[in-house]
Structures are given as structure tokens and as C-alpha cells.
Amino acid sequence: MTVVPYAQLRERTRQRDCSLHEKVISLEEAANIVNDGDHVAVGGCTVSRTPIAMIWALVRARKQGLTLSRSITSNEGDIAYVSGISDHIMTSWFSQGIVWGISKMMRAYTETGRARFEEWSHMAMGLRYRAGAMGVPFMPMRAMMGSDIVGLVDNAQEMECPFTGERLLLVPALNPDVALIHVQRCDRYGNAQIDGLQFMDLDIAMAANKVILTTERIVSNEQIRRAPDHTKIPFFAVEAVVEAPYGCAPHECYGTYEPFFEHMDMYAQISATKGEEGVKEYLDEFYYGPKNWTEYLERVGLQEMLDATRRGRSVYDD
Amino acid sequence: MTVVPYAQLRERTRQRDCSLHEKVISLEEAANIVNDGDHVAVGGCTVSRTPIAMIWALVRARKQGLTLSRSITSNEGDIAYVSGISDHIMTSWFSQGIVWGISKMMRAYTETGRARFEEWSHMAMGLRYRAGAMGVPFMPMRAMMGSDIVGLVDNAQEMECPFTGERLLLVPALNPDVALIHVQRCDRYGNAQIDGLQFMDLDIAMAANKVILTTERIVSNEQIRRAPDHTKIPFFAVEAVVEAPYGCAPHECYGTYEPFFEHMDMYAQISATKGEEGVKEYLDEFYYGPKNWTEYLERVGLQEMLDATRRGRSVYDD
Amino acid sequence: MTTDLANRSTDNSPTQRDYTASQLLAVSASRVLEEGQIVFAGIGITLLAATLAQRTHAPGLTILFEGGVIGPFIVPGELPPSTNEQRCTRRANMLVPITDVLLLLQRGYVDIGFMGGAQIDRYGNLNSSFIGDPENPKTRLPGTGGGNDIASLSEIIVAMKHQKRRFVEKVDFVTSPGFLSGGSSRADSGLPFGGVKKVVTDLAILGFDEKTRQMRVDALQPGVTAEEVQDNTAFDLIVPEGVKVAPPPTEKELAILSDLDPERLYTA
Amino acid sequence: MTTDLANRSTDNSPTQRDYTASQLLAVSASRVLEEGQIVFAGIGITLLAATLAQRTHAPGLTILFEGGVIGPFIVPGELPPSTNEQRCTRRANMLVPITDVLLLLQRGYVDIGFMGGAQIDRYGNLNSSFIGDPENPKTRLPGTGGGNDIASLSEIIVAMKHQKRRFVEKVDFVTSPGFLSGGSSRADSGLPFGGVKKVVTDLAILGFDEKTRQMRVDALQPGVTAEEVQDNTAFDLIVPEGVKVAPPPTEKELAILSDLDPERLYTA
């Protein structure tokens, strides 16, 4: 993944419609925004605020050749490999989550060379998005030097600081073609407010060429304006808004629902015991099978949803 | 002002007491934290959230040789020159405010060579603080090239991007010895919450070696923790907390009070018509004369205070 | 802080029509703006121009303020006195740190920046730093603020009063780059994007020759001759044959300006 | 995500005392921490260690979580299962983006980072990326997360189970730098600060020789001999003459751990 030249970055932005206009569409329509071969940045971190509904839509739309990037990748990375939408994931850590052990799918695909897991340090991922958000081709940093990680990544350069003579590593900007970000609320224009943990989503949104927002709910522009210092993503960075309640299920959405742990345990069990075939059955049942997102949630189950919601809201109980 | 070498930056931070401890002191005690010759960064912008109470304390403590830096400098810059605490101000724009015309004191001191106004572009100031906050010696940027500004600043370097071949300007990090920041509320440990416009204060706080917070009020740590995503400055960056109600008067503090326009008009009038002598009289009356901060506010006047407060709170009336 | 102190056009229009010079500047500048653009506004005339455009031909236009404000809307009669006070945040969509609002320029999100200046030259370079020798200036001006960033990274519209002492052969100091020494010199200096789109004055609307990047009269303000424009300019302007006259402000435009600034604080 | 998956010490202590190996690790690690430090914690044992230190000798110690959490406090019985879920924000002082919490390392605010790893070598280098040849690995591990950043920029405490297959002559891949090839090689590689302060295992507390940067036994865990430590290590350890035995966990320490983790989810 090479750095997008500045002329191309500017031209892409110039071609977009940045006017204040309504942009609410369906999950299916939003999937059309993503082209085969795109670099797609995934918001959230591990099992938190993962844009599962949009990934679900990309899998159903049978996208191909996507490069995915993310702060830390959980089992949506498994889904991406096994469904065939991606064979290249750039991230700092990749497995379902510490409590579930090493991802069997990540191992199965990367150890056989069927897919690539390009490993960067967590801060490097963050600074690459930040450089992209700032419109510069790199960020200087002081980690990753001396390790073996730097030898396996696509592109990073050491330099001597012209001010201090110190050694620095320059990590190249990431400007994803599309960013998928799930938020607690936004308006019909795409002004998004994110509660609690922000992860790398602000930088990802500003770095990307197009942002697809999924949101627990769409609120009025007046509500957004009552707390403008809580708005985290400006409308003009956003290409599409999709209302997708429980759009992170079975992952968590801060203050709204915690992870659906039984479902996550079930997935871990399937992938560990039945391997790739098990995950394909999981995809049939939960990704390809449901008529729509609501039916997906029905299959995940109301009891789990209520339980995750009770736990999720508890952060505001104190 | 040269870049602080990384070894020195780390050592300074290491020497500080970053434990969670109470650090409430008086304005006078806080002035002792600032040493003659220090680089002091001033929070806020123009007439907004200016840490006037701390500047007042530095003037009364007869500090000398300070280098001040700020996003945009208003008449606190006049005060700094005329009181003798500083003869070097780094900033992007320097005058009381557009509606009051060009600062007579800025002109009087800089045109005669008695003081320096080192001009950087506004974004360059911001990126210099940001580099300092991130612990790197520079930030790359794409402005200021081609202009005459770059020829008059202390230190900026062009480079060819190793990834894209593009021309970039590297602006050197600022790591102020002390930052003065005024906030709406913080706790006794220094966890600060800032409402509304943030200006460059977050980066300044993280870039500085020591932060002196003045605050409209001190709240409980429990209140801070009820909205941890509203905390903007972490306690461990803070050296001292001073409760200074109306600590920006006659400037504004977002949501609390607007500028004291009559007082600002009066100052502009004095400096325009009576020149340096007029400002010295102003200093005698408002800076050296009052017994304490409350008496300063009394001299500014209750009627103005009530009026500024009514206007200030109106931002939450809608 | 991109509007220059010295640029207060508060006197009457030389044409003695039913509008002031300030109203004329606001209307002319607003007409250059297009639907959907993102615009860095200063205070006063430039903010009026952006808001007027929103209320006429560009309802989806977005205003940015340098203090860190995205998408504010102006409440009639309550124009903010600067770009970084709480009044700027009225009905805003988002507040961000100053550095981040300026980085929108670098990221390519800003279509137009409004600028003023004490001096402008034939290549659109602006000076708001020094009158006279910068080493020993006659007048130290307040400086660039975000002006250099805006002029370096986006297209700009300069709105200023047309006077010979302001339209100079060569600015004493390049605070905000226009086309530098013309031709490709701007891009060659590391500034491949942006440049001066229009200079809007009380006498004319001016553009720049695509090749040489020298200032050119694109249209005359109503009642103004090409000679008057040249007489008030210290360098030779390109004046195309048959240069047009800009349509005068309409009643609707003037009514909107009156609604926005009923006390004529900025349009007197 | 700095605690390695493979590093789940849930079996019993080899010494068969009134505490488990996990409790021993937590207690030993907590004792290395000092009052006032700012500590990057993982989940499980390392979080217990940091919280135990707060409740014994270091009440002013601050915990950071990689998910973007500053100064959370642990509610007994509610240890978070990862460092980037909402449970990590319980009673926190501040939430920040991930990149900014990691930048605290670079800015020099972090005194100690807790690390694990699948392998460690004599110079304290850690591997959490590949077992076998990285080009054709036997096992692809989950990777660095923030581990490389923490190990590059702060002092670290490694807490792991002491096994010969983990304490290897040379790690298959340097995910997180220790002292690299010893001597000044770490600083020479652009990493002038940090390094491995201690390696805490169920068999010993280990440090590094100040000159050669080779691993050294600083203290034996109670009931463990130097031979046992060497037998479970694939390289030659420096064992000073008369090496001491660490004091066993106190009743108070164990009581606090039981209070924090009553169901023994992390200290079984």
C-alpha cells in the first residue's frame, strides 16, 4: 500500500459533494459505495464499536480483493478472510480477543499464504491514519526501530532529524478509499457524535476518501447543534448514513450494549472445533441466510440482545 | 528557540511528580513555578480563555526575560511588553482584536527593536505545539513555503518527502517550560474539562513541561469521572491548580462570560491616546495596585461583570 | 484573523448608488461563491458574503471559522466580532481545536478562503506583516494569523478597498502567497494547489491571466471606468477589450444584507 | 493487547504453597512498581499487580489502558476482559483516542509497561508474532498490538510463566525490543530510553546485567533453586553468588487479590 500522492488526494476530495445534504441510505446501497480492490478502514477496536452491519453487507454483496486496515482486528477479520472479501489485513493484533485464544482462521489463512496479515505496531497504525487525516505523507515516530516488524511491512523509512540529529522512523500515511464507522448517533447529514472510547475513528474518518457511517439512531440536526463540542466527525467527510440499530452485534457499542458473549463464545467454539467449514456454516446462517438486518438480529437472539443492552447501559448507572 | 533534545525532554518529565496528588495553590505561589527566562505558552486565543489571572500574577512577581508563545496574541501581549516580563513573543497575529485596530504597544516595541514579535503562520504554531505534545522534534506541513515569513523565523527546514518526492516544510517542536491554561472546571488533581472552543490548549498542555491551570471552579474528582470523555487535560500533566473565578477578565471564558467590552474599549483608548505611559498607568491601577485578585475584579467593576456573565451564559439559552 | 485591520470599507460607494461600498463588496464576493463549497470566512464583509450566498444561490455552502468552528449559522443582527469567540459557535455543527480546523485546508476540504491585506501586488501576493523594510519597518502590522495557511492551501477571494497605496507593484513582504513571481513559481515553491481566484474591490472584479498570473480586470463595478481602476492601481493591469460591467446588487441581495446587519455595523 | 494469549498461568504453583502461580506473579510484579508511577497495564495478572500496588505501597500510581483510558479504578469482582471495552472505563479520569494514549509513551509519561510474550531471549527481546520461520511460520501469533510501542519507549516488566520453550536462546522474531543484541545495541538502534526492567516468573525475579544486558537472576521465588530456574531456561543465566530468595506473598497481598478477583478468574 503506497502513499497516495497529494495531487490525487486533493483531486479525490474535490470530486466529492461536500455540501450540507441528506445522505441516508440502506445497508445494501451503502455496500455499493465500496469497490472491489478498495482499501477499507474499519473503525472501533477489537470487539468494540466494530461496524459489523456494514461488513455483513459487504459480505452479502460478495465484494472481492479488499484490503482491510484496523487498529486491532477481532473475528470480523476471520469473516473477511473466509467470506473471500479480503485477503490482506493491516493491523496491530489479530485474533477474536484475548479470552478466546488465537484465531484459528487467521492462522489457517496466513500460515498457508492464502492471505496476508501485515503487522504494524499499534501506535504506527494510529500515526499512519493521523498523517492521512492531516494531509501529509508521513508521521515521524520513535518506536518500531530495532525490531523485526519494520522489515516485514510495506513501507517505512528511517531518517536523521534535521533539527536534533536523532534517529526517527517515518511511517507512511494511510488514506483509505472508504472508512466504515459505527456511532451512537448522527444526523441525516452525517454529523456524528461518539460516546466513550474513540479509538482511532476520528483520524480514520478524516483520512478516508469516503466515510460510511452506521448509527444506532439518526437524530435531528438541532440535537447535534445543542452540543457541537460533542460532534466528532463533520458531515462533509461523510458519504452515507445508514441507520443500523445494534449495528455492532455481537460486538459492543459503548453505553448501548456490551458484547454478546454467548454468541462470541459460540463463534469461537465453531471456528476452533469445526474450522473453516464451521465458519462457512456460520456465514450461511448469519450472513447469507437472513432476509435483512432485523432477521440477522432475530437469529442472534432477543435474549442475548436484552442482556447485552442491560450490561451496556450500566456504564451510566453510577 | 531551538528544539528540546529528546533526552532532555524525557529527563524533565521523569523528574516531575506525576502521582495522583492534590495541587491546589494560590496565584502567588503559582507564579513561583515560572522562572525568569522561561518559555511560557499562553492558552486560549485572542480574547478567549486567556489566562489573565496568571499573567497578572507574573507581572506582579516582576518576572523577566520570558519568551511567550500563543496561537493569537491580544492585549496580554501589550501587558507583557510594557510590564517588562517579556521581550519576545512567538505568535501568528498580535493586536488587541480586529475591532480595536492595530496594537500601539506592539508597534512601539517592535518597530524600535525593544521587543521581538516572531511571526509564524497559525497552523505552524499549532503543529509546533502538536509535535511537542507527541514527543517528536518536528511536524511536516505544506504551508509557509514560498512566503517571506519563513525567512524571519528561528528555525524551519524544507525537505523532500522520501515517499512521494513532494516538498514539505518541517516546523520544529515547541516544548514550553510552562503552559498557562484557564479552564471552566477541574478537580484538585488537575483533571481539567474545557467547554466549547478548545483552541490549541490540549496540545499546549501535553507539550509543556509544567502546566499551571487556573479554573473558574474546582469540582470533585467524582464529578470529573462521571464524564471522563469530557476531560481534556490529564492530571499528571498539571503542576498546579489555582481557583481563579473570572480568571480571564476582561477577556472571555466560554459559556461563563463574554469579553468585558467596556473595559477593553477603555484599554484600547488609553493605549491609543496616552501610549506607553497610559498603559503603565493601567498597570498601576489594575495590576500592581490591587491587594488581590478580588480587588482587581472590584476595580474592573461589578456592573461589567454581571453584563459579561449574562452574555456569556447565553450560549446555553437556546 | 484573516481580515486585515486596515481593510475597513466603511465609506460610501464612489458611484453614489443605493448601496454602500461595503455592501457592494459583500454582494460581489458572494456571487463568486458556489453551491456546496466549504468556505473559510473572516468577520464582517466576508462573513456577510458567505451568509448571503447561503441565502441566495448556495444553501448548502458551509462556513468555517479559524477559532475552530464548523458549520455555524449566522443569527441576523448577531454577527460575531471575531472568528474565535463564543459568538462564532452559534448554531454550529461541530467545534474542533484550531489546528484541526486549519488542517482541513491541508487535507483539501476547503474550497475558498476569504482574505484581506494591507497590500496586494500584480501576482496577488498579500502583505499583512510589514509596511516598509521588514528589518526596520515603518509599520509593524498584526501578521498572518491563518492567512498564510489559507492562501497556501486553498483558492482565495481577496476583498479589499481599491487604492493605489494598497495595489502596489511589489508588496513589501509576502505574508500570504499569491502567484509569487507569476508563471509556475507558486507550484515550484511547494504550493501546487490554490491561488488567488478573484480580487473583489469597490471598483472591479479582478482575476489573473492563466499563463503569466498577472492581475486582470474581469469586470468593472457599475459606474466605474477602466481608467478609474487603473488610476487606483500602482501597476499595469491587464484590461481585456470590451470588459464587462458587473450587474449591480439586487434589491433582494441588499434586503438580505440589511436583515443580517440591521444596525449596519459592517455595511455602513 | 499486550498480554500474550499463550501466557495464561492458571496452573498451580510448583511450590505448592497457599498461593497459585498466578497470584505469585501478580504479587511479585506489584512489588516492582513504585509510588507515583504511570503504568500501562494489560488485563488479568498485570492489572491485578497494578491495582495491588495501589492498595499497598503505591496509592498514587496511575493505570493506563491501551484502549484510551487514563486513571481507571478497578471495581472488585469486575476486572475488564480486555483493554479496549467499556468496562475499562470504570471510574476513569479521562478517555482519549488510542493514538494519544500511546503517544504518552513517546512523550515520556509512562514509567512502566507490562508485557508478555510467547518467547523471550537472554537480552529480553520478546516475540508475539511468529513461532518458526516468519516467512513460513509454524504458528502465526496475534502480533504486537501496542507491545512494540511500549517496549520501545518505556521500561517494561515482563510477567510470564518460566518454561524452557519460552526462555529461548534467540527469539524467532523480535516483536518487542528488549536489549536487542546487548551492550549499547538498543540505544544504537534509535531507542535511547526504556528497556526491560524485570522479568517476573513463577520461578524467579530476573534483571539484566548493566553492561552486557544479559539476563540475570535477581531473586528466586520461595522454594525454588537456582538449578530449577536454569533447567527451565534454554540459555545460560547469570546467577550471582548468594542470590536471595524473594519474600513470599503476604496474607494481606493475597487477601487483596482475593477481594479483587473473588471468582479467581485470573488467579486460579
Side-chain angles (χ1 to χ4, degrees):
Chain A
M1 187 118 319
T2 54
V3 176
V4 178
Y6 192 50
Q8 192 178 333
L9 190 68
R10 297 273 309 215
E11 179 58 20
R12 283 185 185 177
T13 306
R14 200 187 64 73
Q15 285 178 359
R16 282 166 41 206
D17 176 3
C18 289
S19 70
L20 188 74
H21 65 277
E22 299 198 0
K23 51 192 80 156
V24 179
I25 58 176
S26 68
L27 277 174
E28 290 71 24
E29 289 167 324
N32 288 333
I33 293 171
V34 177
N35 295 313
D36 287 347
D38 273 356
H39 167 199
V40 177
V42 179
C45 181
T46 333
V47 297
S48 295
R49 263 194 320 92
T50 314
I52 294 287
M54 244 349 272
I55 290 166
W56 180 84
L58 296 181
V59 169
R60 287 160 66 95
R62 309 224 177 235
K63 298 292 172 186
Q64 291 191 320
L66 305 179
T67 296
L68 300 187
S69 66
R70 199 181 186 203
S71 143
I72 284 177
T73 298
S74 176
N75 68 325
E76 84 286 352
D78 291 13
I79 303 291
Y81 279 171
V82 178
S83 69
I85 65 170
S86 171
D87 60 4
H88 183 186
I89 294 182
M90 275 184 287
T91 191
S92 72
W93 196 91
F94 182 176
S95 273
Q96 185 170 338
I98 288 181
V99 295
W100 292 288
I102 303 182
S103 162
K104 296 294 181 300
M105 289 307 102
M106 181 277 284
R107 287 195 58 188
Y109 276 73
T110 61
E111 291 171 10
T112 57
R114 282 191 287 167
R116 184 171 176 207
F117 157 24
E118 187 183 344
E119 179 179 340
W120 291 76
S121 86
H122 208 181
M123 190 167 80
M125 285 302 298
L127 292 174
R128 296 184 71 193
Y129 289 129
R130 185 159 290 180
M134 294 170 73
V136 287
F138 63 79
M139 275 286 117
M141 64 178 270
R142 299 184 190 271
M144 268 181 42
M145 290 181 287
S147 75
D148 289 336
I149 295 177
V150 82
L152 293 187
V153 299
D154 275 349
N155 210 357
Q157 307 250 3
E158 282 200 25
M159 85 174 280
E160 186 180 294
C161 174
F163 299 100
T164 63
E166 294 156 2
R167 286 178 74 174
L168 298 166
L169 188 73
L170 307 185
V171 292
L174 282 179
N175 287 104
D177 297 303
V178 183
L180 315 179
I181 295 177
H182 186 80
V183 303
Q184 286 90 357
R185 81 194 71 85
C186 69
D187 66 19
R188 303 178 71 80
Y189 308 121
N191 287 298
Q193 301 189 332
I194 302 177
D195 300 327
L197 296 164
Q198 305 290 318
F199 306 121
M200 297 181 179
D201 290 9
L202 286 51
D203 287 326
I204 289 174
M206 296 316 294
N209 187 43
K210 297 177 178 179
V211 175
I212 299 174
L213 281 186
T214 52
T215 181
E216 290 296 319
R217 62 193 181 116
I218 293 173
V219 300
S220 70
N221 181 248
E222 286 68 32
Q223 179 173 142
I224 295 291
R225 287 191 188 157
R226 247 169 257 137
D229 54 359
H230 200 71
T231 308
K232 305 295 184 184
I233 299 173
F235 68 90
F236 51 71
V238 174
E239 185 72 12
V241 170
V242 182
E243 192 168 65
Y246 290 91
C248 303
H251 290 192
E252 86 165 21
C253 180
Y254 192 97
T256 311
Y257 44 92
E258 278 201 348
F260 293 44
F261 284 116
E262 284 181 29
H263 190 94
M264 296 294 283
D265 288 346
M266 179 269 285
Y267 173 85
Q269 174 77 8
I270 282 177
S271 67
T273 58
K274 300 170 78 177
E276 197 168 338
E277 283 314 302
V279 175
K280 284 184 170 161
E281 286 168 26
Y282 177 88
L283 287 175
D284 285 337
E285 171 70 11
F286 292 100
Y287 277 64
Y288 300 115
K291 281 198 309 292
N292 52 37
W293 181 248
T294 303
E295 193 181 322
Y296 166 86
L297 294 175
E298 281 170 358
R299 293 190 186 193
V300 170
L302 183 61
Q303 181 57 50
E304 270 238 71
M305 193 182 296
L306 292 173
D307 174 56
T309 304
R310 182 187 53 72
R311 287 182 281 114
R313 291 176 180 165
S314 72
V315 77
Y316 297 119
D317 286 352
D318 284 347
Chain B
M1 187 121 315
T2 55
V3 177
V4 178
Y6 193 50
Q8 192 178 333
L9 190 68
R10 298 274 308 216
E11 179 59 20
R12 284 185 185 176
T13 306
R14 201 186 65 73
Q15 284 177 0
R16 283 167 40 207
D17 176 2
C18 289
S19 70
L20 187 74
H21 66 278
E22 298 197 0
K23 49 191 79 155
V24 179
I25 59 177
S26 69
L27 278 174
E28 290 72 23
E29 290 167 323
N32 289 332
I33 293 171
V34 177
N35 296 311
D36 286 349
D38 273 356
H39 168 199
V40 177
V42 179
C45 181
T46 332
V47 297
S48 295
R49 266 196 315 94
T50 314
I52 294 286
M54 244 348 272
I55 289 165
W56 179 86
L58 296 180
V59 168
R60 288 160 66 94
R62 310 224 178 235
K63 298 292 171 186
Q64 290 189 323
L66 305 180
T67 295
L68 299 187
S69 67
R70 199 180 186 205
S71 143
I72 284 178
T73 298
S74 176
N75 69 325
E76 84 286 351
D78 291 13
I79 302 292
Y81 280 171
V82 178
S83 68
I85 65 170
S86 172
D87 59 4
H88 183 187
I89 294 183
M90 274 184 286
T91 192
S92 72
W93 196 91
F94 182 174
S95 272
Q96 185 170 337
I98 288 180
V99 295
W100 293 288
I102 304 181
S103 163
K104 297 294 181 298
M105 290 306 102
M106 182 275 284
R107 288 194 57 189
Y109 276 73
T110 60
E111 291 170 11
T112 57
R114 283 192 287 167
R116 183 171 177 209
F117 156 25
E118 186 183 344
E119 179 179 340
W120 292 76
S121 85
H122 207 182
M123 189 167 80
M125 286 302 299
L127 292 175
R128 297 183 71 193
Y129 289 129
R130 185 158 290 179
M134 293 170 74
V136 287
F138 64 79
M139 276 285 119
M141 66 179 269
R142 299 184 190 271
M144 266 178 48
M145 290 180 286
S147 75
D148 289 336
I149 295 177
V150 81
L152 293 186
V153 300
D154 276 349
N155 208 357
Q157 307 250 2
E158 281 199 26
M159 85 174 282
E160 185 181 297
C161 173
F163 299 100
T164 63
E166 293 155 2
R167 284 178 76 175
L168 298 167
L169 188 73
L170 307 185
V171 293
L174 284 178
N175 286 105
D177 296 304
V178 183
L180 314 180
I181 295 176
H182 186 79
V183 302
Q184 286 91 356
R185 81 193 72 85
C186 69
D187 66 19
R188 304 178 71 80
Y189 307 121
N191 288 298
Q193 300 188 334
I194 301 177
D195 300 328
L197 296 163
Q198 304 291 317
F199 306 120
M200 297 181 180
D201 290 9
L202 286 51
D203 287 326
I204 289 173
M206 296 316 294
N209 187 43
K210 296 176 179 181
V211 175
I212 300 175
L213 282 186
T214 52
T215 181
E216 290 295 320
R217 62 193 180 116
I218 294 173
V219 300
S220 71
N221 180 248
E222 286 68 30
Q223 180 174 141
I224 295 291
R225 286 190 189 159
R226 246 170 259 137
D229 54 359
H230 202 71
T231 308
K232 305 295 185 184
I233 298 173
F235 69 90
F236 51 71
V238 174
E239 185 73 11
V241 169
V242 182
E243 194 169 63
Y246 291 91
C248 304
H251 291 192
E252 87 166 20
C253 180
Y254 192 97
T256 311
Y257 43 92
E258 276 200 350
F260 293 42
F261 283 117
E262 285 181 28
H263 189 94
M264 295 295 283
D265 289 346
M266 177 269 285
Y267 173 84
Q269 175 77 7
I270 281 177
S271 66
T273 59
K274 301 171 77 176
E276 196 167 342
E277 282 315 304
V279 175
K280 284 184 171 159
E281 286 168 25
Y282 176 88
L283 286 175
D284 286 337
E285 171 68 11
F286 292 100
Y287 277 64
Y288 301 114
K291 281 198 309 290
N292 52 37
W293 182 249
T294 303
E295 195 181 320
Y296 167 86
L297 294 174
E298 281 171 359
R299 293 191 186 195
V300 170
L302 184 60
Q303 182 58 50
E304 270 238 72
M305 193 182 296
L306 292 173
D307 175 54
T309 303
R310 184 186 51 72
R311 287 182 281 114
R313 291 175 180 166
S314 71
V315 77
Y316 297 119
D317 286 352
D318 284 346
Chain C
M1 286 284 166
T2 59
T3 300
D4 184 74
L5 287 176
N7 182 29
R8 298 206 215 171
S9 296
T10 51
D11 56 349
N12 290 327
S13 158
T15 60
Q16 303 300 330
R17 301 292 172 102
D18 298 341
Y19 44 84
T20 65
S22 301
Q23 288 173 320
L24 182 62
L25 281 178
V27 168
S28 298
S30 84
R31 290 175 181 172
V32 183
L33 300 174
E34 295 166 24
E35 170 60 351
Q37 287 183 328
I38 299 177
V39 175
F40 242 96
I43 65 158
I45 289 170
T46 65
L47 178 54
L48 284 168
T51 304
L52 177 57
Q54 285 177 328
R55 298 192 180 200
T56 53
H57 59 285
L61 178 145
T62 297
I63 291 170
L64 305 177
F65 285 135
E66 196 169 329
V69 186
I70 294 175
F73 285 88
I74 299 312
V75 177
E78 298 188 24
L79 290 165
S82 88
T83 61
N84 34 46
E85 290 166 53
Q86 67 173 44
R87 287 189 192 182
C88 296
T89 68
R90 280 298 293 271
R91 303 188 62 215
N93 284 287
M94 183 171 177
L95 306 184
V96 296
I98 285 176
T99 308
D100 296 291
V101 81
L102 290 165
L103 283 169
L104 294 176
L105 292 157
Q106 189 161 275
R107 182 61 183 79
Y109 270 113
V110 183
D111 297 294
I112 294 288
F114 271 114
M115 300 279 299
Q119 295 177 329
I120 189 169
D121 65 20
R122 70 166 74 234
Y123 296 113
N125 300 304
L126 290 161
N127 175 16
S128 51
S129 299
F130 301 94
I131 301 294
D133 174 9
E135 296 296 328
N136 187 21
K138 186 169 154 289
T139 307
R140 180 51 159 122
L141 297 170
T144 169
N148 175 278
D149 305 309
I150 293 169
S152 296
L153 296 164
S154 74
E155 287 200 306
I156 63 170
I157 298 172
V158 179
M160 59 193 287
K161 199 159 157 48
H162 211 129
Q163 297 172 323
K164 205 162 194 165
R165 65 181 183 87
R166 294 169 169 279
F167 282 70
V168 297
E169 175 68 32
K170 192 169 172 3
V171 292
D172 296 336
F173 186 87
V174 179
T175 307
S176 301
F179 295 108
L180 296 175
S181 55
S184 65
S185 61
R186 179 184 165 98
D188 296 343
S189 296
L191 306 175
F193 292 93
V196 190
K197 187 183 176 83
K198 295 288 175 194
V199 180
V200 173
T201 79
D202 48 337
L203 301 184
I205 318 293
L206 305 109
F208 292 83
D209 180 81
E210 282 67 29
K211 266 242 173 322
T212 67
R213 300 302 195 180
Q214 295 194 32
M215 203 183 289
R216 178 188 66 208
V217 180
D218 280 354
L220 301 166
Q221 293 290 20
V224 179
T225 65
E227 288 70 32
E228 279 179 80
V229 180
Q230 183 61 69
D231 285 349
N232 285 281
T233 304
F235 54 87
D236 288 342
L237 285 165
I238 301 170
V239 186
E241 273 188 60
V243 63
K244 287 182 186 156
V245 176
T250 65
E251 281 188 29
K252 184 184 171 194
E253 286 168 330
L254 293 172
I256 292 168
L257 289 179
S258 294
D259 176 50
L260 294 173
D261 186 23
E263 296 178 49
R264 291 208 176 191
L265 294 173
Y266 300 94
T267 49
Chain D
M1 287 283 168
T2 58
T3 300
D4 186 73
L5 285 176
N7 182 27
R8 297 204 215 172
S9 296
T10 50
D11 56 349
N12 290 325
S13 158
T15 59
Q16 303 298 332
R17 301 291 170 101
D18 298 341
Y19 45 84
T20 65
S22 302
Q23 287 174 322
L24 181 63
L25 282 178
V27 167
S28 298
S30 84
R31 289 174 180 173
V32 183
L33 300 174
E34 295 167 23
E35 170 60 350
Q37 288 182 327
I38 299 177
V39 175
F40 240 98
I43 66 159
I45 289 169
T46 65
L47 178 56
L48 284 168
T51 305
L52 176 57
Q54 285 177 329
R55 298 191 179 201
T56 52
H57 60 285
L61 177 144
T62 296
I63 291 170
L64 304 178
F65 285 134
E66 196 169 329
V69 187
I70 294 175
F73 284 88
I74 298 312
V75 176
E78 299 188 21
L79 290 165
S82 89
T83 60
N84 34 46
E85 289 167 54
Q86 68 173 45
R87 287 190 192 181
C88 297
T89 67
R90 282 298 293 271
R91 303 186 64 213
N93 284 286
M94 183 170 177
L95 307 184
V96 295
I98 285 177
T99 309
D100 295 290
V101 80
L102 290 166
L103 283 168
L104 294 175
L105 291 157
Q106 190 162 276
R107 183 62 184 79
Y109 270 114
V110 181
D111 296 294
I112 294 288
F114 270 115
M115 300 280 297
Q119 296 178 329
I120 188 169
D121 65 20
R122 72 167 73 231
Y123 296 113
N125 301 305
L126 289 161
N127 176 16
S128 52
S129 299
F130 299 95
I131 300 296
D133 175 8
E135 296 295 328
N136 187 22
K138 187 169 153 290
T139 307
R140 182 50 160 120
L141 298 170
T144 169
N148 175 279
D149 305 309
I150 293 169
S152 296
L153 296 164
S154 74
E155 286 200 307
I156 63 170
I157 297 173
V158 179
M160 60 194 285
K161 197 156 160 51
H162 211 128
Q163 298 173 321
K164 205 161 194 165
R165 67 181 180 87
R166 295 169 168 278
F167 282 69
V168 298
E169 175 68 33
K170 190 167 171 10
V171 291
D172 295 335
F173 186 86
V174 179
T175 307
S176 302
F179 294 108
L180 295 176
S181 54
S184 64
S185 60
R186 180 186 165 96
D188 296 345
S189 295
L191 306 175
F193 293 92
V196 191
K197 187 181 177 83
K198 294 289 175 194
V199 180
V200 173
T201 79
D202 47 337
L203 300 185
I205 318 293
L206 305 108
F208 292 83
D209 180 82
E210 282 68 27
K211 265 242 170 326
T212 66
R213 299 304 194 181
Q214 296 195 30
M215 202 183 289
R216 177 188 67 207
V217 179
D218 281 354
L220 300 166
Q221 293 288 19
V224 178
T225 65
E227 286 71 32
E228 279 179 83
V229 180
Q230 183 61 69
D231 286 350
N232 286 281
T233 305
F235 54 86
D236 287 342
L237 286 165
I238 303 170
V239 186
E241 271 188 63
V243 63
K244 288 181 185 158
V245 175
T250 66
E251 281 186 31
K252 185 183 169 196
E253 287 167 329
L254 293 172
I256 292 168
L257 288 180
S258 295
D259 177 49
L260 293 173
D261 186 25
E263 296 179 47
R264 292 209 174 188
L265 295 174
Y266 300 94
T267 50

